[in-house]
Amino acid sequence: MTNHASHKPIKKAVFPVAGLGTRFLPATKAIPKEMLPVIDRPLIQYAVDEAREAGIEQLIFVTGRGKTAIVEHFDMAFELETTMKDREKALDVLEPTRIQPGNLVTVRQQVPLGLGHAIWCARAIVGDEPFAIFLPDELMIANKGSTGCMKQMVEAYNEVGGNLISVLEVPEEEVSSYGVIAPGASQGALTEVKGLVEKPRREDAPSNLIISGRYILQPEVMRVLENQGKGAGGEVQLTDAMAQMIGHQPFHAVTFAGRRYDCGSKTGFVEATLAIALEREDMADEVRAMARRLLGEG
Ligand code: G1P
């Protein structure tokens, strides 16, 4: 694919991580939800790995009180590394936590006014560049031999430019928990976005294609967010701001060729843990035998 000269590269990503994680209490009383591990990597690490695979360099965390463990995780742990070196333990396990100096930035969202507000809090760091957004609750896993969700989106962006969101189909009874698109023409994995609505009633939903937590947006969205009133749930919604950009800039949805686990729910978290364990060569056989035993099949 050619990188169209007029499409500025995506080098920055915003990770809204200020949420209180009330659904996972008491586990999240003293630990950010994003630090809960799926096997041996905290949830946030999967999103950061996906970002780096897509060529993103600068990570912007929109944090809040009690979230410092996330920043610590991506810092260098001097004592730990020295001790590990002394004991001749390999340090490559820490490689994914290393960020180029200066490439991790945090801003605070002081008051939880909604996703749109969280993104707007990053406006000075994003500046006048297109940028990516990752909602870390949505765990996007590439199929074997394929690339991650954001990399697929960046490839599509290099073709069409403008704004892109990842979408997937859900059963109709689930649409009211999500942002939903009104789809236009499709070509391969790309679908034109004609409209967007946040958490519609089932009967009002324009489709069953939902926004699945990955975005590439043009910086103009920040100016729209500046004046964005409250929407669904009394919150400043990113979806409402994006909806206003349709017709002014290209807007496409990308259907991710891969799997998505909703780690915002407890069962989704268990599903992600099992699915990833069953794929890992170091664990798969043991976990499969264990699952059979638990299900009374072996
Ligand atoms: C947010 C977005 C929604 C999107 C969802 C994906 O909703 O507002 O459009 O479909 O994430 O997880 P939230 O889950 O924060 O209510």
Side-chain angles (χ1 to χ4, degrees):
M1 279 187 194
T2 49
N3 192 343
H4 196 289
S6 65
H7 303 153
K8 280 195 197 170
I10 310 298
K11 293 291 172 200
K12 299 181 177 184
V14 179
F15 300 77
V17 292
L20 294 174
T22 49
R23 272 195 269 179
F24 284 86
L25 281 170
T28 48
K29 189 178 171 196
I31 295 171
K33 170 178 72 169
E34 296 78 10
M35 290 302 292
L36 296 179
V38 177
I39 306 180
D40 50 11
R41 279 195 282 171
L43 201 45
I44 187 71
Q45 182 77 64
Y46 290 87
V48 167
D49 292 349
E50 188 189 325
R52 294 170 88 189
E53 182 205 16
I56 282 157
E57 290 168 2
Q58 189 176 59
L59 314 178
I60 307 164
F61 292 119
V62 181
T63 68
R65 283 168 60 77
K67 294 284 181 160
T68 39
I70 298 175
V71 181
E72 295 282 341
H73 178 76
F74 292 103
D75 196 1
M76 190 178 164
F78 217 79
E79 307 86 328
L80 176 68
E81 296 204 6
T82 310
T83 311
M84 284 174 75
K85 267 187 213 143
D86 287 349
R87 294 184 186 164
E88 291 177 10
K89 287 199 190 312
L91 293 179
D92 51 351
V93 71
L94 294 173
E95 202 285 325
T97 68
R98 297 194 199 288
I99 307 296
Q100 276 277 317
N103 271 348
L104 188 152
V105 183
T106 64
V107 293
R108 288 247 181 172
Q109 185 190 26
Q110 293 96 335
V111 195
L113 297 179
L115 177 61
H117 177 257
I119 300 305
W120 178 76
C121 287
R123 67 198 177 285
I125 318 293
V126 166
D128 197 26
E129 281 182 45
F131 63 104
I133 301 172
F134 291 76
L135 308 189
D137 272 0
E138 300 275 357
L139 186 44
M140 308 296 258
I141 299 292
N143 287 336
K144 268 216 168 72
S146 180
T147 57
C149 183
M150 186 53 72
K151 186 153 189 192
Q152 292 180 16
M153 290 175 71
V154 166
E155 279 164 8
Y157 168 83
N158 289 340
E159 293 282 299
V160 294
N163 303 276
L164 292 111
I165 48 180
S166 66
V167 293
L168 55 89
E169 270 186 64
V170 297
E172 268 171 34
E173 56 273 21
E174 290 177 22
V175 287
S176 48
S177 302
Y178 297 101
V180 180
I181 74 161
S186 286
Q187 206 189 6
L190 269 186
T191 302
E192 212 184 320
V193 177
K194 296 272 196 197
L196 285 164
V197 43
E198 182 67 17
K199 303 197 171 70
R201 291 189 311 182
R202 183 179 171 174
E203 53 274 29
D204 300 332
S207 74
N208 65 340
L209 282 172
I210 61 122
I211 306 171
S212 62
R214 299 291 182 274
Y215 310 71
I216 290 176
L217 297 179
Q218 296 300 316
E220 286 76 18
V221 74
M222 294 298 190
R223 292 196 266 290
V224 182
L225 282 167
E226 181 98 33
N227 301 309
Q228 185 65 55
K230 289 179 180 170
E235 297 190 341
V236 179
Q237 295 292 354
L238 179 61
T239 303
D240 296 342
M242 293 192 301
Q244 292 191 48
M245 292 165 72
I246 297 169
H248 302 285
Q249 292 183 344
F251 219 118
H252 291 91
V254 179
T255 304
F256 172 46
R259 283 149 303 128
R260 166 258 190 178
Y261 302 102
D262 175 12
C263 289
S265 86
K266 291 175 203 175
T267 48
F269 212 98
V270 173
E271 185 189 13
T273 305
L274 272 176
I276 294 171
L278 287 168
E279 273 171 20
R280 278 188 36 168
E281 279 172 18
D282 59 332
M283 305 173 74
D285 291 347
E286 220 176 308
V287 173
R288 188 165 291 116
M290 211 181 272
R292 284 211 188 95
R293 267 200 313 278
L294 289 169
L295 293 168
E297 290 170 11

